[in-house]
Amino acid sequence: MDSWNYAELKFWFDVLQWLVTIGLGFWVWISRAPRENKQAIAELEARLKKSEAEQEKLQVRLEYLPTKEELHQMGKELSGLASKLDSSAGRMKAIENKLDLLIENELRGNHAR
């Protein structure tokens, strides 16, 4: 029977082990980049979906905002209402003065009958 050189077998087994370990490390290093890219792409897709949803919400809100012409019309209507309130305030002041005179006459006992 042939005798085996165990020292030489151990050496070649150690070399093979080192080569497998280095090859595995190299494979992990190379395959890391696509996994990181997939993760980054997934994060970007999530951000894009979120942005699209927010954009849709804003578009719905913008549909209900008045146009420039409508704002101008509302401004004119508010100006008209303000002038009516000013004139009503003058009339209310006159009514208040008359009411004060009536109350004063009632308190003094000057009844106009």
Side-chain angles (χ1 to χ4, degrees), residues 95-107 110:
I95 292 172
E96 184 182 351
N97 288 339
K98 289 178 184 177
L99 184 60
D100 287 343
L101 288 174
L102 287 172
I103 292 172
E104 189 178 325
N105 282 337
E106 282 292 321
L107 291 176
N110 298 335

Side-chain angles (χ1 to χ4, degrees), residues 1-64:
M1 213 156 100
D2 290 339
S3 70
W4 293 69
N5 187 351
Y6 289 109
E8 187 177 336
L9 281 175
K10 182 182 181 309
F11 170 76
W12 287 113
F13 183 73
D14 286 344
V15 168
L16 180 65
Q17 240 181 345
W18 275 106
L19 289 174
V20 168
T21 303
I22 290 171
L24 185 62
F26 186 69
W27 179 77
V28 168
W29 180 68
I30 288 174
S31 66
R32 176 182 51 114
R35 279 182 291 176
E36 289 175 353
N37 286 345
K38 286 180 185 177
Q39 183 181 3
I41 289 170
E43 290 173 2
L44 287 173
E45 285 176 345
R47 286 177 52 196
L48 179 63
K49 285 181 183 178
K50 183 180 176 184
S51 295
E52 287 174 347
E54 290 175 358
Q55 183 182 10
E56 286 178 19
K57 287 179 187 177
L58 286 174
Q59 285 177 343
V60 168
R61 292 173 106 183
L62 284 174
E63 288 177 10
Y64 295 104

